[in-house]
């Protein structure tokens, strides 16, 4: 199994809502990532988890809260988002660290209204 | 901070023509990876280069890593419509301990 699965594929939420994005991989990878991608732009790193511990937080606003319940799962909890947070949110995993090939999920297309 | 720029931003070619995208980093890189993202899709890993001056080939794709490990290129010979997408380089620096994506080159191939 060489897939990274993200749910939901699409999400529309209001600015007062709380929602969560989910990511799952069964490749035994120990590094997992959240990226944000705006249209026609490169993916921007948000968070890195290494061996289930948060190792990098790219100064992301606290309305985004990551969680890594176990080595296969990665969540991104969303609360009080702004319309400018609308984007494609990509989860990725790699074997051990950033030097390894990254496998990306198909992403969650988020619209904040 | 570290920046990774790619040129050109867009390239339109006739099917069968060659295509090259160039990647330039403001800092020396430990390695460089290349990804392809189809329209509406997600980035898919193509290759990783590690050594100074390294050249790797995958069928019609040729990847190079510069001698100074600050630039890289991807060359596609005889493009096909299946090559359509955005090509990103992504550089890793031990200084930042992060993989930074380049700005991307969007390739359109006309039949």
């Amino acid at each position: 199994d060489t897939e990274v699965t993200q749910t939901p594929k699409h999400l529309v939420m209001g600015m007062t809502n709380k929602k969560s994005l989910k990511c799952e991989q069964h490749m035994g990878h120990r590094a997992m990532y959240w990226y944000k991608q705006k249209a026609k732009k490169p993916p921007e790193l948000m968070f890195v988890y290494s061996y289930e511990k948060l190792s990098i937080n790219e100064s992301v606003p606290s309305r985004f809260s990551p969680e890594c319940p176990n080595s296969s799962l990665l969540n991104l909890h969303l609360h009080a988002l702004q319309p400018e947070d609308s984007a494609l949110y990509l989860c990725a995993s790699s074997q051990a660290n950033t030097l390894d090939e990254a496998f990306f999920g198909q992403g969650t297309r988020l619209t904040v209204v | 901070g570290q920046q990774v720029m790619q040129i050109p931003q867009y390239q339109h070619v006739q099917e069968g023509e060659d295509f090259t995208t160039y990647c330039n980093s403001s800092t020396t890189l430990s390695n460089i990876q290349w990804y392809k993202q189809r329209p509406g899709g997600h980035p898919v890993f193509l290759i990783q280069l590690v050594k100074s001056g390294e050249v790797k080939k995958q069928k019609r794709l040729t990847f190079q890593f510069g001698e100074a490990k600050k630039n890289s290129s991807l060359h596609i010979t005889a493009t096909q419509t299946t090559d359509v997408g955005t090509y990103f380089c992504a550089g890793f620096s031990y200084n930042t301990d992060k993989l930074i994506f380049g700005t991307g080159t969007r390739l359109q191939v006309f039949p």
Side-chain angles (χ1 to χ4, degrees):
Chain A
D1 185 358
T2 56
E3 275 194 354
V4 176
T5 305
Q6 287 187 245
T7 55
K9 287 190 170 36
H10 301 274
L11 178 62
V12 178
M13 61 185 288
M15 289 188 281
T16 57
N17 291 161
K18 282 185 182 182
K19 296 285 184 184
S20 297
L21 309 185
K22 297 187 182 304
C23 175
E24 191 168 2
Q25 57 88 13
H26 295 289
M27 294 177 277
H29 288 175
R30 303 311 299 269
M32 295 186 77
Y33 314 84
W34 281 114
Y35 285 87
K36 173 183 177 181
Q37 187 177 29
K38 297 282 244 183
K40 300 184 183 180
K41 296 291 185 184
E44 284 178 48
L45 185 65
M46 299 174 73
F47 302 104
V48 179
Y49 272 84
S50 178
Y51 291 83
E52 295 144 64
K53 289 191 172 13
L54 183 64
S55 62
I56 292 180
N57 175 342
E58 284 293 285
S59 304
V60 178
S62 59
R63 57 186 185 268
F64 296 90
S65 174
E67 179 197 18
C68 189
N70 60 54
S71 59
S72 300
L73 293 174
L74 188 65
N75 299 323
L76 186 63
H77 303 298
L78 314 172
H79 173 55
L81 295 194
Q82 304 296 310
E84 59 264 28
D85 296 321
S86 299
L88 180 68
Y89 288 84
L90 291 160
C91 172
S93 71
S94 62
Q95 190 162 11
N97 57 49
T98 321
L99 288 172
D100 301 316
E101 167 187 353
F103 291 78
F104 281 82
Q106 293 194 329
T108 294
R109 194 159 296 281
L110 174 68
T111 304
V112 182
V113 297
Chain B
Q2 181 188 359
Q3 290 188 325
V4 182
M5 307 296 291
Q6 284 181 250
I7 54 170
Q9 197 173 359
Y10 305 102
Q11 183 91 56
H12 297 171
V13 299
Q14 203 75 35
E15 192 173 21
E17 290 181 339
D18 292 356
F19 159 77
T20 304
T21 172
Y22 299 92
C23 173
N24 295 289
S25 170
S26 58
T27 58
T28 303
L29 300 171
S30 307
N31 67 359
I32 196 146
Q33 299 176 353
W34 284 90
Y35 291 82
K36 176 184 177 182
Q37 186 172 19
R38 287 203 161 98
H42 58 280
V44 175
F45 176 84
L46 294 176
I47 208 158
Q48 175 165 267
L49 305 169
V50 178
K51 297 177 188 172
S52 167
E54 190 170 11
V55 177
K56 285 189 176 180
K57 293 193 176 190
Q58 285 180 351
K59 296 182 181 177
R60 295 179 294 106
L61 277 61
T62 302
F63 303 84
Q64 286 190 302
F65 200 7
E67 293 289 341
K69 300 184 80 172
K70 292 182 77 171
N71 54 65
S72 181
S73 65
L74 158 59
H75 179 83
I76 302 179
T77 305
T79 55
Q80 300 174 359
T81 53
T82 52
D83 295 325
V84 164
T86 300
Y87 292 85
F88 291 103
C89 63
F92 179 82
S93 167
Y94 280 117
N95 290 341
T96 60
D97 201 28
K98 289 184 297 194
L99 190 71
I100 304 295
F101 275 78
T103 47
T105 296
R106 198 192 315 172
L107 173 64
Q108 182 61 262
V109 180
F110 294 111

